[in-house]
Amino acid sequence: MRIGTARSSYRHDESLFDSRTQHGWLAVLAVALLGFPFLADEYWLYLACLVAINIASTTGLNILTGYTGLVSLGQAAFMGIGAYTVAALEQKLGTPVLLNLLAGGFVAMLGGLVVGLPSLRVKGLYLAIATIAASVVLHFVFANWHAVTGGHSGITVAPAEILGVSFDTSFRLYWLFVPITILMVLGAANLFRTRIGRAFIAIRDRDISAEVLGIPLLRYKLLSFGLSSFYAGVAGGMWAYFFRVVTPESFPLIMSIFFLAAVIVGGMGTILGAILGAIFMTMVPEALKLIVGWLPLSADATLILSPVRTIVFGALIVGFLVFEPLGLQEIWRRIRRFFHLWPFRA
């Protein structure tokens, strides 16, 4: 009886320690996010805004691919829908920024619901090909619907403005993008504590069993597509305000592959994995660029080594797939566990 009481007390103390540690890390992260824009230069603020956009879109794709098990290569196209919606509303109606972003998300959601209709009949590689086909169709619409999209010339977007404050620099956009991304990540994290999130996971693990248990597959698959597309649309809207011009070439298929790789590298089916994957995929090419720039090489040698950065980047992704298929979140979990247990190791 005493042994059981002691074990129960130990587990209680350990859970309290983990909770306090987690709150401590969140406090450190909050301080870092608040202080970063005052310490960073324009280049790092630019990267921070880009990372925030990519985290938002990767989190949306993780809902669809990581949690529901539906492979999509159309995330960039849905970002394009959101970006064009925001650009058109900003140019023609001058509606508020936050309303534009929400509208971009909902219009992209409608597109996602349409694209998600085949998901009841096909899955895996066939569904991926269906989303590629949808991307091709949407790219054709972006390039040829001149009255709305401006064709290949695209649409120029005015700076975001809230309460008379123009968000025309990376410093100001940071204070717009980062809170929006945090809200989107928290929304995704809380989603999987609900019945809807558990239904997504059940469909991913075994859709036939989920249907036997009474989960309507089409409804939840469409809902997953819609939520993922909503996240992509909001991210696309932020992208439009960030780069200030939207063209059909802004959202190629390789961009969708980028987001799918971020989900895989970070760790499928985890919120932290989407965050780490987006940061990794955004920052590693920039880090390789800086390393090549620091080397004492001539301009011709730098030009020759430029493709090498792409090769190294691809090799890193393949390395994760081979040696750590659970992604960066698993590496982080192991690091936390090591340092948590280290003082007590024999």
Side-chain angles (χ1 to χ4, degrees), residues 210-260:
E211 188 174 23
V212 170
L213 292 173
I215 297 174
L217 295 186
L218 180 60
R219 180 191 306 172
Y220 281 102
K221 285 184 177 181
L222 288 180
L223 181 57
S224 182
F225 259 102
L227 286 173
S228 176
S229 302
F230 176 84
Y231 273 63
V234 175
M238 292 192 289
W239 194 98
Y241 281 123
F242 186 50
F243 289 101
R244 305 271 299 281
V245 63
V246 183
T247 65
E249 289 72 28
S250 302
F251 305 99
L253 179 62
I254 190 67
M255 195 175 187
S256 294
I257 297 174
F258 171 94
F259 291 119
L260 183 59

Side-chain angles (χ1 to χ4, degrees), residues 5 13 23 34 58 60 67 92 102 104 154 175 196 201 223-224 251 263 269 289 297 299 330 336 340:
T5 305
D13 292 341
H23 291 156
L34 290 172
T58 304
Y67 283 99
K92 298 181 179 180
L102 285 175
W175 298 107
I196 294 174
I201 295 172
L223 181 57
S224 182
F251 305 99
V263 171
K289 186 191 300 182
L297 302 172
E330 175 64 16
R336 285 188 59 193
H340 176 61

Side-chain angles (χ1 to χ4, degrees), residues 3-18:
I3 294 175
T5 305
R7 286 177 178 174
S8 177
S9 176
Y10 171 76
R11 291 195 189 101
H12 177 69
D13 292 341
E14 188 179 41
S15 64
L16 285 177
F17 177 80
D18 289 340

Side-chain angles (χ1 to χ4, degrees), residues 121-144:
R121 297 293 181 185
V122 297
K123 56 184 177 180
L125 180 62
Y126 300 99
L127 181 60
I129 293 174
T131 58
I132 292 175
S135 298
V136 173
V137 171
L138 288 170
H139 188 274
F140 179 83
V141 172
F142 297 157
N144 293 278

Side-chain angles (χ1 to χ4, degrees), residues 22-38 174-175 178 182:
Q22 185 176 12
H23 291 156
W25 278 111
L26 290 175
V28 170
L29 177 62
V31 172
L33 291 175
L34 290 172
F36 176 80
F38 298 102
Y174 177 92
W175 298 107
V178 171
I182 291 173

Side-chain angles (χ1 to χ4, degrees), residues 162-245:
I162 299 177
L163 299 176
V165 178
S166 179
F167 291 79
D168 53 358
T169 64
S170 297
F171 177 83
R172 293 181 176 179
L173 285 170
Y174 177 92
W175 298 107
L176 176 64
F177 292 167
V178 171
I180 291 174
T181 299
I182 291 173
L183 288 175
M184 294 172 74
V185 169
L186 291 177
N190 288 318
L191 172 67
F192 297 102
R193 298 189 179 100
T194 67
R195 180 172 57 88
I196 294 174
R198 290 192 291 271
F200 288 166
I201 295 172
I203 292 171
R204 178 197 65 190
D205 292 341
R206 189 171 291 275
D207 55 354
I208 296 176
S209 299
E211 188 174 23
V212 170
L213 292 173
I215 297 174
L217 295 186
L218 180 60
R219 180 191 306 172
Y220 281 102
K221 285 184 177 181
L222 288 180
L223 181 57
S224 182
F225 259 102
L227 286 173
S228 176
S229 302
F230 176 84
Y231 273 63
V234 175
M238 292 192 289
W239 194 98
Y241 281 123
F242 186 50
F243 289 101
R244 305 271 299 281
V245 63

